[in-house]
Amino acid sequence: MPLRISDELREKLRLVRESQLRRLREGLGEHDYYCQELMSVNGVHVCGSIGFDIYLTFDGRILASKDSGDPKRDHPPRETSNIAWIALGLSTLSLWANLPEVLEFLPVRPTDVAPCSLCGGVRFQDYPDGSKQACRLCHGLGWGEPTFRDY
């Protein structure tokens, strides 16, 4: 089910997308694949690493793509309902784009479930060098241990 994105958030996301495309175009060649993939998505790139990328579309869908190095197993961005991918994407977006409001799209911790044992329910981990990232255990959900599964 798509997230209900307000007009105000959609405008902020459009500015993020413009910035992403501008940076990618400036470094074309090295990032040509990523630029093409982002241009195929009507939204923003929210998270990625070796083997995957996550996007939030302007109409509220979370998309994930897979790049395993094996064309038979790879796929272009497609919608996912997997909470691990969604939590990682939204929590990462909230950090690097300074959009804490996207965390409101994540489910609230049930009262009978303990907060994440690694981050204490705050969704993020701080590092000695001052950097911060989504918790490695709950992936930014704040509770549970969601499992990454097929997109």
Side-chain angles (χ1 to χ4, degrees):
M1 171 172 277
L3 308 174
R4 291 179 171 230
I5 296 180
S6 69
D7 290 340
E8 180 181 349
L9 178 56
R10 189 173 292 109
E11 183 55 32
K12 290 177 182 180
L13 293 172
R14 285 187 204 290
L15 294 173
V16 168
R17 178 182 170 85
E18 287 174 17
S19 174
Q20 289 176 335
L21 287 171
R22 184 174 46 257
R23 284 194 326 267
L24 286 171
R25 286 182 180 129
E26 289 169 358
L28 265 180
E30 177 183 343
H31 303 288
D32 189 39
Y33 168 79
Y34 300 106
C35 190
Q36 289 175 10
E37 187 167 274
L38 178 58
M39 290 174 62
S40 76
V41 172
N42 189 27
V44 298
H45 181 260
V46 298
C47 181
S49 189
I50 297 172
F52 75 91
D53 288 284
I54 305 171
Y55 301 88
L56 172 59
T57 65
F58 296 133
D59 63 1
R61 294 173 298 128
I62 302 288
L63 308 180
S65 66
K66 185 176 182 181
D67 179 12
S68 66
D70 177 357
K72 293 178 185 173
R73 296 178 52 201
D74 294 351
H75 67 75
R78 63 182 182 207
E79 193 166 0
T80 183
S81 61
N82 179 259
I83 193 62
W85 293 115
I86 293 169
L88 179 61
L90 293 177
S91 61
T92 301
L93 175 64
S94 76
L95 280 176
W96 67 260
N98 194 27
L99 294 172
E101 59 265 47
V102 300
L103 295 174
E104 296 172 14
F105 293 124
L106 294 173
V108 175
R109 178 176 58 88
T111 56
D112 62 337
V113 175
C116 173
S117 62
L118 188 58
C119 71
V122 298
R123 299 184 166 138
F124 305 105
Q125 291 181 268
D126 294 309
Y127 292 94
D129 67 359
S131 63
K132 194 177 205 176
Q133 73 176 34
C135 176
R136 293 185 323 262
L137 186 60
C138 71
H139 310 297
L141 188 58
W143 52 276
E145 295 180 31
T147 303
F148 293 108
R149 60 174 167 71
D150 288 339
Y151 309 88

